[in-house]
Amino acid sequence: MIDAKKNIDSILFIEENIDKVCNLNLRRKVEELRREFYINCCVVLDKSHPKNKKKICEDKLIEAIYYERDKNCAHRDDDYKKYKDS
């Protein structure tokens, strides 16, 4: 959970300090942080509900987190379509 929070904090820091870090490859860095965020969230969900993935995925937000991780972050699937709110 802490690692996922660090990912969000880093993205927010970049956003708030864009003028100071504009010479860096921000698109790549933010994408990397975003990928790590989804992976870290799924680690927390997997450990807190080890045998109930199907049940917890009834929640649309949790389903979207797993979808992003499975289709776009852990590896890129050809059939990936970005969720509207992700």
Side-chain angles (χ1 to χ4, degrees):
M1 183 79 82
I2 292 171
D3 289 333
K5 171 84 167 87
K6 286 179 185 178
N7 297 130
I8 295 298
D9 289 345
S10 295
I11 292 171
L12 290 172
F13 176 83
I14 290 170
E15 181 181 31
E16 292 168 2
N17 296 284
I18 192 85
D19 56 324
K20 296 175 185 143
V21 294
C22 62
N23 61 334
L24 303 174
N25 187 345
L26 298 178
R27 177 170 283 162
R28 179 193 271 171
K29 184 62 179 168
V30 170
E31 269 304 308
E32 178 185 323
L33 290 165
R34 189 174 179 273
R35 268 193 307 277
E36 289 176 11
F37 168 76
Y38 283 109
I39 291 168
N40 289 330
C41 284
C42 288
V43 167
V44 171
L45 290 168
D46 289 343
K47 289 186 179 201
S48 61
H49 303 282
K51 295 180 180 167
N52 294 324
K53 182 177 176 184
K54 205 175 233 184
K55 176 118 175 95
I56 65 172
C57 282
E58 291 173 3
D59 181 289
K60 294 297 181 193
L61 179 60
I62 292 175
E63 179 185 39
I65 291 169
Y66 273 112
Y67 179 83
E68 278 298 313
R69 193 262 331 245
D70 294 343
K71 296 284 191 177
N72 190 37
C73 296
H75 55 85
R76 298 208 183 237
D77 284 359
D78 292 337
D79 62 345
Y80 168 72
K81 289 187 175 34
K82 188 174 181 177
Y83 259 64
K84 188 170 33 169
D85 296 328
S86 63

